[in-house]
Amino acid sequence: MQFQGTADYIADKDLLVAVNAAIQLERPLLVKGEPGTGKTELARQIASALGLQLIEWNVKSTTKAQQGLYEYDAVSRLRDSQLGDARVNDVRNYIRQGKLWQAFTAPDKAVLLIDEIDKADIEFPNDLLQELDRMEFHVYETGETVRAKVRPVVIITSNNEKELPDAFLRRCFFHYIRFPDAETLARIVEVHHPGIKQELVRQALTRFYEIRETPGLRKRPSTSEALDWIRLLVSDDVDPADLGADIRTALPKLHGALLKNEQDVHLFERLAFMARRER
């Protein structure tokens, strides 16, 4: 089972090596990188390319590790017992399977995506150590042990918002997705916008990287934001020559696709104002 990338996802050699190494070692693949660099999409493309079911667990700040295993609805069971419902006699009626349970009991190999693990509490990764290592967990309410029929391909993403525990990191194969260079990003643009004018791409990406490297920028635009911006440029039929203005003299065209907070907008306004004063 080898992942070779797809026509819709540009993956460099190092990323392909990381994916296939994790599959061979049967270890979770921990993927870090800036938001918008395709970490979540990677899991979807792996599932698509290998013909596997994708099971997504989107982690939030309030997510607990137990929710990935199962949840026991004791309140509903108590209510049903008060109403004399016959369902109360079987505790299984009140257990909801989590994403790990679904992945472990899938009839065939699946891809399990644990997305943005760094959003959760710091203890969240530690609470999953044994389950991800042994591929099994115990259900206390029924006394059963759920074991993986076929070990899933586990993809874990992180935006690097907080450090993950060393014990957790030891159990993962790690890869950092670097922000693509101009040549790679141009290939990504071509995938999303086949036949786009190359002069527009060249001017847009030159402008885009100038914006990313502007000193003092609080949030640098990501790959997904570059694609949104270029889509708008194509939709508005913007002349490539109009994108060649000095970055210090004007806000970028359709800048709302790239600049996502008022501090960065004010930064470019100040740069333009100062440049005009110097003339």
Side-chain angles (χ1 to χ4, degrees):
M1 184 174 287
Q2 289 278 317
F3 177 62
Q4 301 296 337
T6 70
D8 298 327
Y9 189 87
I10 304 298
D12 62 24
K13 181 180 178 181
D14 289 342
L15 178 56
L16 295 178
V17 168
V19 171
N20 291 314
I23 292 174
Q24 184 175 356
L25 292 172
E26 296 189 324
R27 295 258 184 196
L29 174 62
L30 173 62
V31 184
K32 289 187 178 183
E34 290 183 33
T37 50
K39 300 184 297 297
T40 301
E41 186 62 24
L42 172 64
R44 296 168 181 160
Q45 293 298 327
I46 292 172
S48 175
L50 301 181
L52 305 179
Q53 177 190 1
L54 175 65
I55 299 173
E56 295 190 42
W57 185 13
N58 299 303
V59 177
K60 302 178 181 178
S61 59
T62 56
T63 303
K64 302 299 181 185
Q66 180 64 33
Q67 293 172 298
L69 309 180
Y70 68 93
E71 292 183 274
Y72 170 53
D73 191 350
V75 174
S76 293
R77 192 182 190 197
L78 175 61
R79 183 185 64 243
D80 288 349
S81 69
Q82 294 170 338
L83 296 174
D85 194 322
R87 295 175 70 250
V88 75
N89 295 318
D90 187 352
V91 69
R92 291 178 176 82
N93 292 323
Y94 304 94
I95 291 178
R96 185 174 64 183
Q97 296 181 3
K99 298 298 183 179
L100 267 72
W101 189 324
Q102 294 173 27
F104 287 3
T105 57
D108 301 305
K109 198 177 192 69
V111 174
L112 171 63
L113 169 63
I114 305 177
D115 201 23
E116 298 189 336
I117 193 172
D118 53 327
K119 279 188 175 180
D121 183 85
I122 189 62
E123 291 303 319
F124 180 91
N126 281 333
D127 291 342
L128 290 176
L129 286 179
Q130 179 172 309
E131 288 76 10
L132 290 176
D133 199 27
R134 298 184 181 179
M135 286 288 155
E136 66 177 36
F137 62 89
H138 189 69
V139 183
Y140 295 97
E141 289 77 9
T142 64
E144 66 180 309
T145 297
V146 176
R147 293 186 178 89
K149 295 180 179 179
V150 183
R151 197 175 185 99
V153 177
V154 181
I155 308 297
I156 303 172
T157 72
S158 168
N159 289 329
N160 224 10
E161 292 182 4
K162 64 168 67 83
E163 288 296 323
L164 299 175
D166 289 345
F168 180 80
L169 294 175
R170 283 197 299 272
R171 288 165 170 81
C172 299
F173 194 94
F174 172 77
H175 183 76
Y176 183 85
I177 297 183
R178 294 180 176 85
F179 194 85
D181 57 24
E183 181 181 348
T184 303
L185 189 49
R187 291 169 57 202
I188 295 172
V189 170
E190 180 63 31
V191 166
H192 289 266
H193 305 288
I196 189 173
K197 297 177 182 178
Q198 292 305 303
E199 180 61 19
L200 176 61
V201 173
R202 188 181 68 81
Q203 291 284 7
L205 292 185
T206 298
R207 184 74 158 161
F208 173 77
Y209 280 98
E210 287 176 348
I211 293 168
R212 268 187 61 88
E213 300 306 319
T214 299
L217 197 66
R218 293 192 61 176
K219 183 194 177 301
R220 298 195 295 177
S222 67
T223 304
S224 61
E225 288 160 340
L227 292 173
D228 288 344
W229 184 52
I230 292 174
R231 190 171 95 181
L232 289 174
L233 296 178
V234 172
S235 177
D236 284 14
D237 197 23
V238 172
D239 188 338
D242 293 341
L243 297 174
D246 192 313
I247 195 171
R248 296 169 299 176
T249 61
L251 277 168
K253 287 185 177 297
L254 302 166
H255 63 269
L258 299 175
L259 306 178
K260 298 303 178 74
N261 59 64
E262 63 276 16
Q263 293 92 336
D264 288 343
V265 172
H266 291 160
L267 170 64
F268 279 90
E269 289 174 340
R270 288 195 301 273
L271 290 173
F273 175 74
M274 292 170 62
R276 286 193 294 268
R277 286 187 60 184
E278 291 172 0
R279 290 186 172 182

